[in-house]
Every structure is written in structure tokens, then in C-alpha cells.
């Protein structure tokens, strides 16, 4: 009697395990259908983007590399360059329009990038100037380099909101793919196919092992990249960013903001870090002494003296008359002086300078280099030269620093070449895992069928696994919505196949 009871208990336990395994396998299959095409795209484009500077400088060497020998001076210093303002002047002569951004070269063999909104209506263009000869080497559409194309493919930005939403869903499902895959991979006494490949590529088992072995190597990286990529997502990332950074004018609490601010966000004019996507740009305060001679209606249209008006009011002139371009240019400190201020403030080489776009605009210098501690954004008053805001990585709180560290590692920047090579290996493993899954499924599927894994005997196991997966769906709303849709589709598929099975049974009778 006792032996029979033990046998029954063991049988129920075995059936229970088998049911759970089948339920997890079924949802793992669905996750793979959704994720693997996107994961392959992300792995290929992400692996390329890790070497964005090297590839861009190679492919666009005619634009980004100086076309004259770089000569060292007798004192060992780098060759003297043409003043930055003259380089901008030459660029605008080459392409008439309004210069909005300048990127001085980060290295002695690189050109200066001058971004211009062209007067001919062709949009924003990047003009590249030899900093030593002052000659224009060429131009291309702004952010139209091969690596910007790869970046837009990586995020599916080229497809608009639908593509961005698809990437967000795929990132969330990739977490589910890894967790369910780990459950299926767990050895449970199995020796082969855990970290080694069995048989030959001619057999399905070899492809199953390739999928499993590459998957276990890539699992941690997939989780890390999915989590650190989520801050850029359209729904979850945007809402979390707004909640986390939507105070203190979008700047970290460590930055004291005590200057008039505009409504223009930094991200609208310059690529910035995730933590600064809510940051707004301060306003330059027009000196009262200058107000009297910077209006269009004659030298005495404005009223000088001890004006108590705000910067915004002063910017439109004491009499509410628009400022003249000539007067603004006369009062402006100029690009060369702004460059000296940024150098004095310690911005790392390769920083970008955004030029003032309005009478109360500011000079903004920003750099997000490989070394996180050298992240910096500096806003300079265009008339007085005063530093209005100076933001460093150290100003972030603990959560902000952790997020920025994760993003920097995600981009392959934090630990140099080692960071890049490790992530490239992870990307290769993801591609091989995806290929292994596709071939394995193709060899396993029945002729004319999809090859969905079999249902567990106890159907509630399907719902139970779905409920556990919804924990991730609660955290990431788009993932939760897609889980509901997939659950409904699976339920309809089960009903349809059962109905078809009943019809066949009746036909036989």
C-alpha cells in the first residue's frame, strides 16, 4: 500500500514538472517569435555602433580627417589653428545659412564640424573645415553619417513611434525570454548540451545545443542591455524620465539654479544624457547699458539706467522694440571668447558648442566622453561671459550616477576597448543563439505546421506561467499589453485546435 502511494505521489510530481516545463516552453516559444528578429537586429547594429567613431572616421575620412599634414611646432605643441569664428565664417560662406552648432576637433588630425541651417531650404547640414588651413573639405546632411544610420536602425527611429514601441516591447520580452530560457536550460542531471555541443550540424540536436550554450553565455548580457536600454524607451523610459528629472528645471539636485530659464530644452538642440533630457536652457541677461543702443528704432529708442526688468523683458528692448542683429553682435562676447571660457572651465576635448539662437540665447558647451567623471554641460551668458550653469557627473544623485554608468557601459564607453570587445562577443553570441533557435525550430516543426510546443495536461499551468510573466508586464506597460494580446491569441488558438480535433473525431465516427 505504501509503495503504491509513493508511486502515485512520484507520478503526480513527474506530471506536474512536465506540465510546468511544457507551459514554460510554450511561452518561451512565443517570446522567441516576438524577440529573436529584433534581437538579431539589435545585436548586429549594436555591435557595429560600439565602434562608431572608428567606423565613421574611416568611411568619412575625406570629411572628418584633415587633408593636410599635421605639423608639430618647434616647441612640441600642436600646429596653430585658425580662430574658430573664422572657421564658422568660411563654412557659412561655403553654405549660406545660420550656424547653430560647432564641434572643435577632439584630436589634432580631425576637422571642425560646423552645423548650419541652410538658407536654401535643404535643412541642417554639417560642414567640415580644416582647422589649420581654414578650408572647407566638404559637407553632408546633419547626422547622416553611416553610424547615425546604424543608430537609427538600432532604435528603429527611422520607422517613427511604431518602431520605437516595437523595440520597447521586444526589450521587455527579451527579459522573459532569458528567464524562461534559464528554466529550460537548467541541467537536472543532464550532461550534454549544457555547455558543450553534441553530434553534428546535420542534426537538430546540434542546433538545440548551439542555441542553449550561446544563450547561457549571452543571458546576463541580454538582461543588462535590456534593462539599461529601457531608459530610452518611448513609453516607460519617457515617463520615468519625467518623474525622475522633471524638477529643478531638469537639472540634478546638486546643481543650483538661480538664473532665469527659457522654455527650450537642452535635448532639443543637442544630444544629451538621459538624466538631462528634461533640462532647460538658461537665458542671457542683456546689460542695461546695452539696451539703449540695441534696438532698431534709433540709438535713443531704449531707456538705459537702472532698469529693474527681467531678462526676458530687457531682451525685447526697453520700449518693446526688437533688437537689431548688428547691436546684438556688437554686445556679444563672440565665439572665440566663449571657446576660451569653455577651455577655462575644463571641458574635455571633443565638446560641442551650441550657438545662441535668440537675443537671450546662451553659448552651451557640452561633452559626454568615455570617462563619466568628465561629463559636463556649461551655459555661458552671451553678453557678460558669466557661467550661468556648470553641471558635472558628480552633481547627479546615486540613482542618476548608477543609470548613467549603466548607459555608458551599454554604449561600450566606460572601460575602453575591453568594454567594446566583451560586448561584441555578447552580440555574436546573441546572433548565433537566434540562428540556432531558427534552424532548430525549422527542423522540429511538422510539415505545414507552426510547431507550437504541446499543451500541458493541466491547462491552468499555462495561466500560472502567464501570471508570473505579468510581473514584468506590470513594470513595463507595453509589455503587459502585449502579454494580454498574446494570452488571448493563445486561448483562441487552443479553442480552434480543439474544435478542429473534435470535428476530425466526429468525421472518423
Amino acid at each position: 500500500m505504501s509503495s503504491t502511494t509513493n508511486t502515485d505521489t512520484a507520478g503526480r510530481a513527474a506530471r506536474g514538472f512536465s506540465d510546468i516545463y511544457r507551459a514554460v516552453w510554450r511561452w518561451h516559444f512565443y517570446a522567441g517569435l516576438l524577440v529573436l528578429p529584433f534581437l538579431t537586429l539589435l545585436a548586429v547594429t549594436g555591435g557595429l555602433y560600439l565602434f562608431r567613431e572608428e567606423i565613421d572616421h574611416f568611411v568619412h575620412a575625406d570629411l572628418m580627417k584633415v587633408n593636410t599634414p599635421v605639423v608639430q611646432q618647434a616647441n612640441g605643441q600642436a600646429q596653430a589653428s585658425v580662430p574658430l569664428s573664422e572657421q564658422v565664417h568660411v563654412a557659412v560662406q561655403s553654405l549660406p545659412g545660420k550656424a547653430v552648432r560647432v564641434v572643435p576637433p577632439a584630436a589634432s588630425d580631425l576637422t571642425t564640424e560646423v552645423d548650419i541651417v541652410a538658407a536654401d531650404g535643404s535643412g541642417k547640414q554639417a560642414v567640415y573645415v580644416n582647422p589649420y588651413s581654414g578650408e572647407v573639405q566638404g559637407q553632408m546632411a546633419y547626422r547622416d553619417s553611416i553610424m547615425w544610420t546604424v543608430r537609427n536602425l538600432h532604435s528603429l527611429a527611422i520607422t517613427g513611434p511604431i518602431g520605437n514601441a516595437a523595440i520597447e516591447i521586444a526589450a521587455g520580452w527579451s527579459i522573459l525570454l532569458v528567464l524562461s530560457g534559464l528554466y529550460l536550460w537548467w541541467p537536472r542531471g543532464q550532461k550534454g548540451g549544457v555547455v558543450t555541443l553534441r553530434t553534428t550540424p546535420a542534426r537538430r540536436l546540434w542546433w538545440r545545443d548551439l542555441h542553449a550554450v550561446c544563450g547561457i553565455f549571452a543571458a546576463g548580457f541580454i538582461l543588462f542591455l535590456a534593462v539599461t536600454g529601457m531608459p530610452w524607451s518611448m513609453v516607460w523610459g519617457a515617463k520615468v524620465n519625467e518623474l525622475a528629472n522633471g524638477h529643478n528645471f531638469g537639472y540634478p539636485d546638486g546643481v543650483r539654479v538661480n538664473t532665469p530659464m527659457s522654455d527650450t530644452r537642452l535635448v532639443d538642440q543637442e544630444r544629451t544624457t538621459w538624466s538631462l533630457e528634461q533640462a532647460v536652457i538658461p537665458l542671457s541677461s542683456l546689460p542695461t547699458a546695452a539696451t539703449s543702443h540695441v534696438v532698431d528704432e534709433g540709438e535713443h529708442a531704449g531707456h538705459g539706467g537702472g532698469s529693474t526688468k527681467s531678462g526676458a523683458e530687457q531682451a525685447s528692448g526697453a520700449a518693446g522694440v526688437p533688437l537689431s542683429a548688428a547691436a546684438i553682435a556688437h554686445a556679444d562676447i563672440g565665439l572665440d571668447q566663449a571657446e576660451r571660457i569653455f577651455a577655462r572651465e575644463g571641458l574635455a576635448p571633443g565638446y560641442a558648442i551650441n550657438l545662441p539662437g535668440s537675443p537671450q540665447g546662451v553659448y552651451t558647451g557640452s561633452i559626454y566622453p568615455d570617462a563619466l567623471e568628465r561629463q559636463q554641460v556649461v551655459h555661458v551668458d552671451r553678453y557678460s561671459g558669466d557661467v550661468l550653469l556648470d553641471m558635472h557627473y558628480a552633481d547627479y544623485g546615486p540613482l542618476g550616477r548608477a543609470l548613467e554608468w549603466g548607459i555608458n557601459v551599454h554604449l561600450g564607453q566606460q572601460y575602453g576597448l575591453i568594454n567594446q570587445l566583451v560586448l561584441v562577443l555578447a552580440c555574436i553570441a546573441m546572433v548565433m543563439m537566434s540562428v540556432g533557435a531558427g534552424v532548430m525550430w525549422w527542423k522540429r516543426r511538422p510539415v505545414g505546421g507552426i510547431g507550437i510546443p504541446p499543451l500541458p495536461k493541466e491547462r491552468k499551468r499555462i495561466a500560472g506561467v502567464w501570471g508570473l510573466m505579468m510581473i514584468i508586464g506590470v513594470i513595463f506597460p507595453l509589455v503587459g499589453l502585449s502579454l494580454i494580446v498574446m494570452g488571448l491569441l493563445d486561448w483562441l488558438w487552443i479553442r480552434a485546435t480543439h474544435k478542429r480535433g473534435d470535428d476530425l473525431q466526429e468525421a472518423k465516427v
Side-chain angles (χ1 to χ4, degrees):
M1 182 71 176
S2 177
S3 175
T4 303
T5 302
N6 291 338
T7 301
D8 290 343
T9 302
R12 285 196 299 271
R15 285 194 300 274
F17 169 76
S18 176
D19 278 354
I20 294 174
Y21 188 93
R22 286 186 172 191
V24 173
W25 182 17
R26 193 177 181 92
W27 282 112
H28 184 76
F29 175 82
Y30 289 148
L33 286 180
L34 285 173
V35 169
L36 292 183
F38 291 101
L39 193 62
T40 303
L41 171 69
L42 292 171
V44 173
T45 55
L48 289 172
Y49 196 71
L50 291 168
F51 300 92
R52 53 197 169 278
E53 291 185 0
E54 294 87 344
I55 295 174
D56 261 346
H57 291 167
F58 175 77
V59 174
H60 305 290
D62 58 324
L63 298 175
M64 299 181 178
K65 295 275 193 174
V66 293
N67 56 10
T68 56
V70 179
V71 180
Q72 294 289 328
Q73 295 182 348
N75 58 7
Q77 294 184 349
Q79 180 179 348
S81 60
V82 175
L84 202 55
S85 58
E86 292 186 24
Q87 297 181 52
V88 172
H89 177 70
V90 169
V92 174
Q93 280 189 321
S94 169
L95 179 66
K98 181 181 179 181
V100 294
R101 179 176 179 266
V102 185
V103 184
S108 61
D109 62 338
L110 300 179
T111 55
T112 298
E113 178 184 337
V114 182
D115 299 326
I116 298 172
V117 177
D120 61 8
S122 59
K124 190 182 290 187
Q125 302 287 321
V127 179
Y128 295 88
V129 181
N130 187 317
Y132 307 112
S133 66
E135 297 178 350
V136 172
Q137 291 192 191
Q139 70 182 62
M140 67 176 166
Y142 180 65
R143 292 184 176 178
D144 197 35
S145 70
I146 187 170
M147 279 296 101
W148 270 105
T149 301
V150 169
R151 179 188 173 100
N152 289 333
L153 283 172
H154 186 74
S155 63
L156 287 186
I158 57 175
T159 62
I162 293 177
N164 288 334
I167 288 293
E168 181 172 349
I169 292 171
W173 273 85
S174 67
I175 298 173
L176 301 175
L177 185 77
V178 168
L179 296 179
S180 58
L182 285 173
Y183 178 86
L184 298 175
W185 168 87
W186 196 257
R188 302 180 187 90
Q190 176 185 329
K191 295 181 179 180
V194 178
V195 292
T196 58
L197 307 183
R198 295 169 290 182
T199 72
T200 66
R203 300 186 60 187
R204 184 181 71 85
L205 185 62
W206 188 90
W207 293 98
R208 177 266 170 207
D209 290 353
L210 178 69
H211 173 70
V213 172
C214 290
I216 197 61
F217 172 80
F221 292 102
I222 294 173
L223 287 176
F224 174 80
L225 294 172
V227 171
T228 55
M230 272 297 187
W232 287 304
S233 61
M234 182 181 71
V235 176
W236 185 87
K239 180 54 67 175
V240 170
N241 193 300
E242 183 181 334
L243 293 173
N245 304 312
H247 61 282
N248 195 37
F249 299 99
Y251 290 92
D253 292 332
V255 177
R256 185 181 177 188
V257 178
N258 57 358
T259 186
M261 306 296 283
S262 70
D263 295 326
T264 303
R265 294 193 305 167
L266 178 62
V267 73
D268 294 333
Q269 68 174 25
E270 177 61 40
R271 182 173 66 91
T272 186
T273 63
W274 182 84
S275 298
L276 290 180
E277 287 185 355
Q278 303 296 324
V280 295
I281 299 172
L283 295 167
S284 292
S285 297
L286 190 68
T288 304
T291 306
S292 62
H293 67 272
V294 293
V295 294
D296 287 332
E297 300 296 321
E299 292 184 346
H300 306 290
H303 302 284
S307 172
T308 58
K309 294 182 179 181
S310 69
E313 291 172 319
Q314 291 181 32
S316 60
V321 183
L323 302 174
S324 72
I328 292 175
H330 177 74
D332 197 298
I333 61 172
L335 177 57
D336 296 329
Q337 177 62 15
E339 182 187 23
R340 287 189 285 270
I341 293 172
F342 292 136
R344 182 194 70 200
E345 294 301 314
L347 270 78
Y351 64 86
I353 302 175
N354 288 93
L355 306 180
S358 67
Q360 276 195 287
V362 296
Y363 287 99
T364 297
S366 57
I367 181 68
Y368 312 100
D370 293 354
L372 272 176
E373 62 275 9
R374 298 210 67 182
Q375 270 192 20
Q376 190 175 4
V377 178
V378 177
H379 299 293
V380 174
D381 189 299
R382 69 180 300 182
Y383 302 112
S384 67
D386 293 338
V387 174
L388 303 176
L389 275 176
D390 185 359
M391 199 290 304
H392 296 257
Y393 172 73
D395 294 319
Y396 294 128
L399 179 59
R401 288 198 294 272
L403 278 169
E404 292 300 333
W405 174 86
I407 291 171
N408 225 37
V409 175
H410 184 117
L411 291 170
Q413 297 180 173
Q414 185 62 24
Y415 302 109
L417 183 60
I418 293 296
N419 197 161
Q420 293 172 304
L421 293 178
V422 169
L423 288 184
V424 161
L425 290 176
C427 289
I428 293 172
M430 291 177 210
V431 172
M432 294 176 67
M433 177 193 74
S434 301
V435 171
V439 176
M440 172 182 65
W441 164 75
W442 187 261
K443 287 178 172 290
R444 181 183 64 82
R445 72 181 183 89
V447 177
I450 300 177
I452 297 175
L455 284 166
K457 294 188 181 302
E458 292 189 38
R459 304 295 166 76
K460 65 181 181 181
R461 303 291 188 186
I462 290 283
V465 173
W466 180 87
L468 290 174
M469 294 168 68
M470 275 301 294
I471 296 173
I472 301 296
V474 171
I475 299 172
F476 304 114
L478 282 185
V479 178
L481 182 61
S482 65
L483 269 169
I484 292 173
V485 172
M486 285 300 298
L488 178 61
L489 291 175
D490 187 53
W491 179 76
L492 291 173
W493 176 264
I494 292 171
R495 284 181 60 87
T497 52
H498 272 222
K499 180 69 166 59
R500 190 160 55 246
D502 292 341
D503 291 344
L504 289 174
Q505 188 65 29
E506 289 179 7
K508 288 180 182 179
V509 172

